[in-house]
Amino acid sequence: MTIDKTFDPAAIEARWYAYWEEQGLFRPERPDAEPYTIVIPPPNVTGSLHIGHALDDTLQDVLIRHARLKGKDALWVVGTDHAGIATQMVVERQLNAAGSKRTDFTRDQFVEKVWAWKEESGGTITRQLRRLGASCDWANERFTMDEGFSKAVLKVFVDLYNQKLLYRDKRLVNWDPGLKTAISDLEVETREIQGKFWHFSYPLADGSGAISVATTRPETMLADMAVAVNPEDDRYRALIGKQVKLPITGRLIPIVADEHADPELGSGAVKITPGHDFNDFEVGKRAGFKAGEMLNMLDAEAKLIQTSDGLIPADYLGLDRFEARKKVVEAIEAAGLLEKIEDRVIQTPYGDRSGVVIEPWLTDQWYVDAETLAKPAIEAVRSGAIKVVPESWTKTYYNWLENIQPWCVSRQLWWGHQIPAWFDEDGEVYVAEDEAGAQALAGNRKLTRDPDVLDTWFSSALWPFGTLGWPDKNVTLDRHYPNDVLISGFDILFFWDARMIMQGIHFMGEVPFKTLYLHGLVRAADGSKMSKSKGNTVDPLGLIDKYGADALRFTLTAMESQGRDIKLDEKRVEGYRNFATKLWNAARFAQGNGIGASTSIEAPKAELAVNRWIIAETVKTVQALDLAIADLRYDEAANTIYHFTWASFCDWYIELTKPLLGEGADEAQASETRAVAGWVLDQILVMLHPFMPFITEELWHALGERPYDIIVARWPMADARAIDPAAQQEIDWLIRMISEIRTARTGLNIPPGARLPAHVRGASELTHERLAANAVVIARLARVDLAEGEAPVGGAAQVVVDEATYVLPLEGVIDLDAERARLAKGIAAAEKERDSLAVRLGNPAFVEKAKPEAIAKARADHAEKSLEAEQLGAALARLG
């Protein structure tokens, strides 16, 4: 097959992906091979591919394709998450658009509609993953609501309940009044809102005075149960134990001592509403209030209801919380108890999907005893059973798990795993995997099932073993658990990664994965966080359309540095598309010069130094690549293969060997060079395949008949015996010599077409031998002819390489005086800018006050001008 003149990614990507999938090449049968397993973080079934997915899944695919090439039984488990809230909202919006609503249907009818939506529209993200080139095990795709996985979810719930590790309790939750469900911390979006700080005076019950409190939520004072002061605050020590008579309700509440009260903040006294504030809930518990005694003043829609003590005036009941706020402030002001109002920026929690202000709400929910499950999860990382990369994240991991709170796992939705708990008419609960099991526990009592569903994080925490067939025993589960690596964004370290560790250890008896790799965020080119509101998001599919999937994949891999976020610049994607084009053109050159597919994974025999050199460079690249991938240093891996392909092979080897392949070349040398070039190009294609799968498969087949596809080829051998120090030293010298002469020519504005004599001074016998052996190549690539004798008198450039000096006469080639003047002027200008930037960077006022991007630009400009001055100085020095 003749390679097309122009590289067109769109012409090859869909064709090769369909072929790989149809042929079952993502999961070839290798029952006796070493297993290697990664599970994909399941994207929401409602989702579409964003740039974070593209990064996460590219990093996983690099590892999976590398393991497959290494001959391993590489399994990349794929599937989607049922995404309770997100999916229910999508379907509810469709119903609303058609003039109906969820509650017009029975629960079963609504759930049927969700399943129908999933079948019709739920495959968007998986189609897009295919466009990226993700080589997942699609034949065994999973869904967190499929029958087998649901069986695992129900068993885990029942087992945890029976082990007293899951229970029902009344606690505060993040309540979304718009969706009327509890939500997780990850689904809460904190926004800065211009609000107010109201200072109220609460009269002491004995009439001896008053105590000042401040609040950003005045309406909650209707459910206040205490005022807290710091026990070390001398101002209030005598008041501890006394009572306050609340305005409006007349409720008598105690003044309690608690370190939560900060003497430096406001008046130092804090109103305590345990039923509507997370911090107050803890203060209330310490003060002796039981959860069942804590006052609740809001319903599921955040409208006011009567508290259990019946003290809220009737005209407040039924008001929206924000309407109640205005009414409370007016009443306090009318009573002369409003001391002052301050404007303040308030950190306010919103539901990320509803856009409604979240309310801490005291309600009955199901909880997992996360503290107990966390202990072995902490030890797993401490002992090294799980390696966290970068290691710096372990501190955060320990801090969170050592201070973990009970995990609320119930949600007030219809779509999801309905909780396997049934209540009798007295409120007694019976937990079983099905209704028959619950009825057997309850006897003849009439049962009603809990309408709530489980948090999606509860089910996805089982992903590493639930996807492999657990709780049923099977070969796949035995071979592929624990998984080898989990690739995850750091932002779900607690919500998903840590919970998988807890559940995996508890139910499987060992860790779910051996290594946890946490990558950063993909940011805009200027370092700012991407957001739709800023209009700076990047569509990965748009980049694929423009530059090809290979270019995007290579960009994300090359920019993935441990512990750092990625600043994604489209120019980088364009640059790596150019890299793909460079490889394409190198393959076209090879094909046009009789260089084709290699027949051996072992290097051909070679006599010529240039061929022995490129073989050694190939082996060194394999070694470096293996090490970088093993250490999960993606940027090093990508840069290793990039520089070898672009510089060593395309820029130097092809150019150095063109004379060996041209007309009149020695046939034995030409034959050897073709064999070596074909072998090296094959190794490049295989090494590059994990990063750029499409172009490598296309060129693999274009270069000749193959017994197998590159996706299942053999990874190159890192045979150190092929490293030839003598050949490396000779070709390294040759490259340095040609490069130095080229640099001198460019720096001195010598016309590209001008051929110059090069008089050699001080060369050793070895250098003379090398010059003689490589004279043709030097003449072609450096455009100089080696000359005998002393250089003529007059202006000349001097190039020093090792012990030898090469004198290039320049009389009549350039205007020497004008060139000296140009260089001197350039040096002065570069040094002036360099020194000015140095002064600015040395100014503490600039470094402390300027924006980070301004400081970064100043540093980059300083480095650029320093280098420019140095290079111009070197050029002037060459003129003597």
Side-chain angles (χ1 to χ4, degrees):
M1 180 182 91
T2 303
I3 300 172
D4 290 342
K5 183 176 181 180
T6 305
F7 169 52
D8 178 10
I12 65 172
E13 291 179 357
R15 170 166 51 86
W16 277 118
Y17 197 94
Y19 172 82
W20 290 328
E21 190 170 356
E22 287 162 8
Q23 297 298 314
L25 294 173
F26 296 148
R27 187 79 201 289
E29 289 293 325
R30 292 175 178 175
D32 300 322
E34 176 189 346
Y36 184 87
T37 315
I38 296 177
V39 295
I40 200 169
N44 285 354
V45 69
T46 56
S48 51
L49 192 77
H50 58 62
I51 198 67
H53 289 133
L55 169 65
D56 200 78
D57 296 319
T58 295
L59 300 183
Q60 293 170 73
D61 200 33
V62 167
L63 298 185
I64 281 290
R65 287 182 183 269
H66 178 253
R68 195 182 292 123
L69 291 167
K70 284 275 196 174
K72 296 179 181 179
D73 177 17
L75 169 61
W76 189 7
V77 175
V78 68
T80 49
D81 192 294
H82 66 277
I85 293 176
T87 308
Q88 181 161 318
M89 281 186 69
V90 167
V91 177
E92 286 200 52
R93 278 198 294 267
Q94 283 190 346
L95 293 176
N96 294 342
S100 59
K101 56 185 185 296
R102 171 171 58 94
T103 50
D104 293 341
F105 305 90
T106 67
R107 182 185 188 126
D108 287 345
Q109 287 171 335
F110 178 77
V111 168
E112 279 181 22
K113 289 183 179 296
V114 181
W115 276 109
W117 174 88
K118 189 257 180 189
E119 292 307 310
E120 182 182 335
S121 307
T124 299
I125 185 74
T126 55
R127 289 192 297 273
Q128 293 168 340
L129 282 170
R130 287 171 166 89
R131 287 206 62 195
L132 186 66
S135 60
C136 309
D137 183 21
W138 295 109
N140 296 293
E141 183 180 349
R142 302 305 303 266
F143 179 54
T144 51
M145 286 278 285
D146 67 32
E147 185 179 349
F149 202 86
S150 295
K151 177 181 175 182
V153 173
L154 295 179
K155 177 173 173 54
V156 165
F157 186 97
V158 173
D159 285 0
L160 288 174
Y161 178 81
N162 290 333
Q163 294 160 8
K164 306 257 186 305
L165 293 171
L166 188 148
Y167 54 91
R168 195 161 171 80
D169 195 10
K170 186 183 288 291
R171 293 177 62 89
L172 279 185
V173 296
N174 295 312
W175 185 261
D176 189 320
L179 300 176
K180 300 184 190 64
T181 180
I183 61 174
S184 73
D185 289 345
L186 192 63
E187 293 156 327
V188 176
E189 177 186 292
T190 301
R191 303 180 194 170
E192 288 190 345
I193 301 298
Q194 194 64 46
K196 297 188 184 299
F197 211 33
W198 286 270
H199 293 255
F200 294 168
S201 180
Y202 281 3
L204 296 175
D206 62 7
S208 61
I211 190 167
S212 176
V213 297
T215 180
T216 58
R217 300 166 66 212
E219 69 280 6
T220 62
M221 63 88 62
L222 298 172
D224 278 359
M225 296 185 72
V227 171
V229 296
N230 194 291
E232 302 302 318
D233 193 334
D234 292 336
R235 294 172 296 174
Y236 302 116
R237 202 185 298 272
L239 296 181
I240 295 170
K242 287 194 172 189
Q243 288 191 315
V244 162
K245 186 175 182 179
L246 274 180
I248 302 176
T249 64
R251 183 181 301 120
L252 296 176
I253 62 173
I255 298 174
V256 300
D258 196 284
E259 291 184 352
H260 170 65
D262 182 354
E264 303 297 320
L265 189 63
S267 68
V270 185
K271 62 185 281 302
I272 301 299
T273 320
H276 296 283
D277 183 276
F278 288 103
N279 290 321
D280 291 5
F281 180 77
E282 298 301 326
V283 175
K285 284 200 302 182
R286 290 192 291 271
F289 301 123
K290 292 185 173 61
E293 301 169 344
M294 294 178 183
L295 299 177
N296 176 37
M297 53 171 275
L298 297 173
D299 66 9
E301 295 180 338
K303 292 180 177 177
L304 265 67
I305 58 173
Q306 187 57 270
T307 51
S308 57
D309 61 7
L311 293 178
I312 297 180
D315 56 338
Y316 284 82
L317 302 180
L319 292 178
D320 174 81
R321 55 189 160 159
F322 299 117
E323 292 173 354
R325 175 176 297 179
K326 293 177 188 174
K327 192 173 179 67
V328 164
V329 172
E330 287 170 1
I332 294 289
E333 186 172 18
L337 300 174
L338 178 61
E339 296 176 350
K340 62 178 177 177
I341 303 173
E342 294 178 77
D343 289 329
R344 181 169 291 197
V345 174
I346 310 295
Q347 302 289 326
T348 307
Y350 281 77
D352 68 346
R353 297 188 185 279
S354 68
V356 173
V357 175
I358 295 305
E359 190 66 43
W361 199 44
L362 195 60
T363 178
D364 291 309
Q365 301 284 348
W366 289 94
Y367 290 89
V368 169
D369 179 1
E371 184 180 0
T372 298
L373 293 178
K375 288 172 184 172
I378 294 169
E379 181 54 30
V381 173
R382 283 226 164 92
S383 68
I386 294 176
K387 179 183 178 184
V388 178
V389 181
E391 194 271 340
S392 56
W393 277 108
T394 57
K395 184 178 179 181
T396 311
Y397 175 84
Y398 296 141
N399 184 57
W400 186 72
L401 287 182
E402 286 164 357
N403 296 282
I404 198 166
Q405 296 295 308
W407 173 18
C408 176
V409 295
S410 44
R411 297 290 182 265
Q412 289 62 54
L413 303 168
W414 281 3
W415 171 246
H417 298 102
Q418 191 171 355
I419 288 172
W422 285 259
F423 296 92
D424 65 19
E425 291 169 322
D426 296 325
E428 288 295 315
V429 66
Y430 305 91
V431 173
E433 291 183 37
D434 55 32
E435 188 169 5
Q439 197 67 64
L441 294 172
N444 295 323
R445 295 179 184 87
K446 184 182 177 183
L447 298 181
T448 304
R449 188 168 184 176
D450 190 325
D452 292 353
V453 300
L454 286 163
D455 175 17
T456 50
W457 295 108
F458 183 89
S459 48
S460 61
L462 318 181
W463 196 244
F465 56 94
T467 52
L468 301 177
W470 186 91
D472 299 333
K473 293 193 176 298
N474 63 81
V475 173
T476 302
L477 182 63
D478 290 343
R479 276 178 62 73
H480 292 280
Y481 188 94
N483 310 159
D484 287 83
V485 183
L486 180 77
I487 307 286
S488 167
F490 70 84
D491 52 334
I492 54 172
L493 172 59
F494 317 125
F495 297 99
W496 190 49
D497 307 342
R499 287 166 177 168
M500 281 190 291
I501 295 171
M502 290 191 283
Q503 298 285 45
I505 293 172
H506 187 75
F507 285 97
M508 297 297 295
E510 56 183 324
V511 297
F513 33 78
K514 299 160 195 169
T515 301
L516 171 59
Y517 181 88
L518 298 166
H519 61 76
L521 300 175
V522 183
R523 294 182 175 273
D526 63 0
S528 62
K529 193 170 182 178
M530 290 186 186
S531 71
K532 289 179 182 176
S533 61
K534 291 180 183 176
N536 65 349
T537 56
V538 172
D539 175 18
L541 297 172
L543 292 174
I544 289 173
D545 289 339
K546 195 170 182 180
Y547 302 109
D550 287 332
L552 175 60
R553 288 168 60 106
F554 203 90
T555 303
L556 294 170
T557 311
M559 298 186 76
E560 170 55 28
S561 182
Q562 288 182 13
R564 295 183 181 179
D565 290 341
I566 288 175
K567 295 179 183 177
L568 185 62
D569 189 335
E570 189 173 328
K571 290 178 182 175
R572 289 289 294 268
V573 189
E574 182 181 8
Y576 289 124
R577 194 275 316 276
N578 295 341
F579 171 55
T581 300
K582 181 98 168 174
L583 177 67
W584 185 268
N585 291 336
R588 286 186 67 241
F589 169 82
Q591 192 177 67
N593 283 274
I595 298 165
S598 179
T599 56
S600 169
I601 194 168
E602 293 184 9
K605 287 191 170 19
E607 299 294 332
L608 296 171
V610 69
N611 287 330
R612 300 199 312 275
W613 166 76
I614 197 65
I615 289 170
E617 289 296 301
T618 305
V619 170
K620 285 161 64 181
T621 301
V622 176
Q623 292 173 334
L625 201 50
D626 276 338
L627 188 61
I629 291 175
D631 289 343
L632 299 175
R633 296 198 174 275
Y634 285 97
D635 51 347
E636 287 184 19
N639 289 326
T640 294
I641 186 61
Y642 174 87
H643 288 296
F644 173 69
T645 303
W646 187 294
S648 300
F649 184 73
C650 296
D651 279 357
W652 286 109
Y653 179 72
I654 287 177
E655 294 302 321
L656 292 172
T657 55
K658 279 180 178 177
L660 300 173
L661 299 170
E663 286 185 25
D666 180 278
E667 186 48 45
Q669 292 184 347
S671 178
E672 175 190 303
T673 301
R674 287 191 191 96
V676 170
W679 177 83
V680 173
L681 189 49
D682 272 6
Q683 311 314 299
I684 286 172
L685 293 177
V686 176
M687 285 189 283
L688 198 51
H689 179 75
F691 309 91
M692 297 180 123
F694 295 109
I695 188 174
T696 51
E697 190 74 84
E698 179 75 8
L699 295 178
W700 177 259
H701 288 281
L703 288 168
E705 290 295 319
R706 305 284 189 173
Y708 42 73
D709 302 294
I710 199 170
I711 191 174
V712 288
R714 285 178 63 192
W715 187 254
M717 295 168 58
D719 188 354
R721 293 173 299 176
I723 295 176
D724 185 329
Q728 281 193 276
Q729 288 167 11
E730 178 173 341
I731 303 304
D732 286 348
W733 164 84
L734 179 61
I735 290 171
R736 281 188 295 112
M737 187 232 179
I738 292 169
S739 298
E740 287 290 339
I741 292 174
R742 284 175 168 177
T743 299
R745 293 179 65 114
T746 302
L748 295 171
N749 273 345
I750 297 170
R755 296 197 67 83
L756 303 175
H759 296 265
V760 185
R761 286 205 310 240
S764 66
E765 185 177 341
L766 177 60
T767 298
H768 278 297
E769 290 173 2
R770 288 173 173 172
L771 288 169
N774 295 285
V776 174
V777 169
I778 293 168
R780 182 172 172 275
L781 298 183
R783 300 198 66 76
V784 297
D785 300 308
L786 300 173
E788 297 293 330
E790 286 294 316
V793 176
Q798 299 189 28
V799 177
V800 179
V801 180
D802 297 339
E803 85 293 350
T805 301
Y806 303 89
V807 182
L808 313 178
L810 297 177
E811 288 288 350
V813 179
I814 60 173
D815 183 332
L816 292 168
D817 289 337
E819 188 57 26
R820 287 191 183 97
R822 182 188 74 83
L823 291 170
K825 185 177 179 181
I827 292 166
E831 287 179 342
K832 183 179 179 181
E833 286 194 55
R834 176 199 66 194
D835 295 344
S836 173
L837 287 161
V839 169
R840 190 190 306 176
L841 288 165
N843 181 353
F846 171 72
V847 175
E848 290 167 12
K849 294 177 183 177
K851 292 182 178 179
E853 52 267 32
I855 297 170
K857 185 178 186 308
R859 285 178 176 150
D861 290 346
H862 179 264
E864 180 186 335
K865 290 302 171 184
S866 298
L867 180 62
E868 184 182 335
E870 185 181 323
Q871 290 174 335
L872 292 172
L876 185 58
R878 288 192 188 99
L879 286 176

